Amino acid sequence: MEVSAILLFVLFGLNHVKRGSTVQLHLYTTCPIPNTIGQEPDTVIGRSELQCVMLCSQSEHCLGVRVCGETGMVKCTMRNTSSPAQCLQPDRTPTHCRLVNRVSPCEKGGTPNGHGCLCPLPFAGKYCQRYMRDCSEGYDNGNEGAPEGMYLIQPMTSPAPFPVVCLFTWGGITKAVWRFVAGTSWAATTWSQAKQGIGYNRSAVPDYTRVFVGLDHLHQLLNQSSYQNVIQSSYGSDWDNMKAFYTDFHVGPEPSGYELSYGTFYSYDEFPALNGLKGQGPMLFAAPGGPDPYGCVAGGAPTGWYGGSHCAGHSVFADPPTWPSPDKGVQVVRMIQFSLVRKGPYIEN
Ligand SMILES: *[C@@H]1O[C@H](CO)[C@@H](O)[C@H](O)[C@H]1NC(C)=O
Ligand SMILES: *[C@@H]1O[C@H](CO)[C@@H](O)[C@H](O)[C@H]1NC(C)=O
Ligand SMILES: *[C@@H]1O[C@H](CO)[C@@H](O)[C@H](O)[C@H]1NC(C)=O
C-alpha cells in the first residue's frame, strides 16, 4: 500500500518536470537539519538533490524542499514555507537529511510581488516557474503594452512550449492564425503540416505574419478555458476590415476530427461581417493525406473545416481566402487572422 503510494508520487513528480526546465541554483541555499519523521504530504522519490530542487521549482506551492538520502535515491519533501531558523544549528551533525530553501521565491528573474512574483515574458505562475499558458496570462502578469511578437506559451495540457504571436493589449491576444495572403500558398496544406503548424521553421528567420499555430496546439490552447475568437479579414485596396466574433470557440482533439464549434456568432456595424463558419453538420477538418469526411478535398476544395458534403464555407487555407460581407457580398481577402481572447478562468480537464 505504502509502496504503491510512493510509486505514484514518483510518476507524478517526474511527469511534472517539463521539457526545457532549467534550475537556477543561486535561488536556493542548503542547510543541514535533523532527520525528522512526520506527516509528509508532498513527498517524491528522486535521484538527486538537484532533482528535488527542480521539482520544487516547478511547483506553485514549494518554498523549500527537505532532501533525505544520498545521490542515487533521495526523498524530496516539498515545503510550502521556508524556515531559515532551521539553518541556525551549525553544530548539529549533518545527517542524511538537509533543508534546501528558496532564497528568493521568484525564478527566471521575476520580482517578488505580494504573495507571488511579477514574471518576465514568457514566464508565469506564482513563482515564474513555468511558461505562460497564453498571451493573456502574460498581460495579467504586468506585461501590458509589451511589444507584439512571437513568444513561447505552454497551455496546461501541452507537453512542450511552442511559439505564438502575442499582442499585449485588450487583455492579451493570442493569434492562432495570421496570414498576409500575398505570396502564400496554403490550399494544399497536408494533414501532417496542418497538425504541425505553418511558419514555425526555427532555423529560418521567423515571419510571424504568415503563421498557423497547428491543430494540436490549437486544441490544447482552446481546451484550457473559454475563448472568444475574432476572425478579422482585410479586403480591397483600402484594406477595409470585417470582424466576425465567435464566443466559446473550440477545436476538439484529433479523434474528433479537430471538430470546430462555437457558442454564438455576432458582428458590429463598424466592421460588418457575416458568419463564414457555417455547416449543416459537425465542422470537421479535411486535408490531403488525412481524413476528408465529407469528400470536399477529394472534390478539389482547399484544406480546412467543412460542415457537410455541400463543401460550402470559407477556409483560411484557401488561395486566396474569402469572407462574406453583409452589404458587399463575398470578398477576396488580403489578410486574415484568428485573435483569441480568454474569457474565463483556466480549467483543469
Ligand atoms: C502549508 O501546507 C499546510 C499543510 O498542507 C497547510 O495547512 C497550510 O495552510 C499551508 N500554508 C500555506 C501558507 O499555504
Ligand atoms: C527551414 O529553413 C531552412 C533555412 O531557410 C531550410 O534550409 C529548411 O529546408 C527549412 N525546413 C523546412 C522544414 O521548411
Ligand atoms: C477539453 O476537451 C475535452 C475533450 O474534447 C472536453 O470534454 C472538455 O470539455 C474540454 N474542456 C474545455 C474547457 O474546453
Side-chain angles (χ1 to χ4, degrees):
M1 188 65 198
E2 244 173 45
V3 168
S4 63
I6 287 174
L7 276 176
L8 266 180
F9 275 127
V10 171
L11 293 174
F12 176 83
L14 296 184
N15 273 336
H16 280 69
V17 178
K18 297 215 166 142
R19 236 198 289 169
S21 307
T22 54
V23 75
Q24 295 174 302
L25 283 175
H26 66 277
L27 298 182
Y28 293 85
T29 173
T30 305
C31 58
I33 54 158
N35 194 358
T36 55
I37 297 167
Q39 279 299 100
E40 294 168 2
D42 209 358
T43 298
V44 300
I45 304 296
R47 283 184 302 275
S48 62
E49 183 172 311
L50 183 64
Q51 195 181 21
C52 299
V53 171
M54 193 178 277
L55 290 168
C56 180
S57 73
Q58 302 283 312
S59 157
E60 295 265 322
H61 308 290
C62 185
L63 283 179
V65 58
R66 199 180 70 206
V67 184
C68 296
E70 299 307 329
T71 297
M73 177 157 141
V74 296
K75 196 159 82 170
C76 326
T77 305
M78 308 301 156
R79 310 177 74 244
N80 62 3
T81 54
S82 55
S83 34
Q86 299 262 21
C87 290
L88 304 174
Q89 301 171 334
D91 53 2
R92 279 198 96 116
T93 318
T95 63
H96 64 292
C97 288
R98 60 268 181 204
L99 192 63
V100 186
N101 282 327
R102 282 183 196 252
V103 175
S104 161
C106 306
E107 304 270 332
K108 315 288 194 308
T111 48
N113 172 38
H115 293 295
C117 303
L118 280 177
C119 307
L121 292 169
F123 300 106
K126 194 168 178 191
Y127 302 120
C128 314
Q129 75 282 8
R130 56 171 174 77
Y131 288 94
M132 57 187 175
R133 292 167 175 158
D134 61 11
C135 305
S136 69
E137 198 176 32
Y139 177 97
D140 290 344
N141 202 235
N143 294 297
E144 179 177 358
E148 174 183 41
M150 272 202 163
Y151 293 86
L152 289 172
I153 65 167
Q154 188 168 12
M156 292 162 81
T157 59
S158 294
F162 58 87
V164 293
V165 179
C166 285
L167 210 64
F168 296 103
T169 53
W170 301 104
I173 292 168
T174 308
K175 287 193 192 182
V177 177
W178 201 13
R179 183 181 181 197
F180 280 84
V181 176
T184 62
S185 176
W186 285 18
T189 300
T190 63
W191 181 259
S192 66
Q193 286 168 337
K195 274 169 67 69
Q196 251 187 302
I198 298 173
Y200 294 110
N201 183 346
R202 300 273 212 140
S203 50
V205 176
D207 175 2
Y208 62 76
T209 63
R210 293 174 165 81
V211 291
F212 167 62
V213 74
L215 293 166
D216 291 318
H217 291 156
L218 195 52
H219 165 67
Q220 291 154 6
L221 175 61
L222 294 169
N223 199 232
Q224 64 184 348
S225 184
S226 166
Y227 287 86
Q228 181 188 61
N229 186 8
V230 187
I231 301 183
Q232 182 186 336
S233 45
S234 306
Y235 62 98
S237 52
D238 292 336
W239 296 80
D240 290 325
N241 284 316
M242 291 183 266
K243 288 187 183 179
F245 291 76
Y246 296 88
T247 64
D248 265 318
F249 194 79
H250 271 98
V251 169
E254 183 168 8
S256 76
Y258 296 112
E259 182 178 351
L260 184 156
S261 60
Y262 51 84
T264 54
F265 159 82
Y266 63 96
S267 159
Y268 288 119
D269 286 347
E270 297 100 295
F271 306 109
L274 290 179
N275 185 356
L277 298 180
K278 266 199 298 203
Q280 294 165 342
M283 300 278 289
L284 305 173
F285 200 82
D292 184 13
Y294 301 113
C296 297
V297 166
T303 291
W305 281 275
Y306 293 95
S309 49
H310 52 76
C311 304
H314 298 269
S315 171
V316 295
F317 295 89
D319 289 335
T322 55
W323 202 264
S325 155
D327 44 0
K328 297 181 184 159
V330 171
Q331 295 294 311
V332 169
V333 310
R334 306 177 68 181
M335 186 282 292
I336 188 159
Q337 61 183 352
F338 282 17
S339 292
L340 302 171
V341 184
R342 186 167 52 86
K343 293 292 183 186
Y346 297 104
I347 299 161
E348 301 268 0
N349 281 293

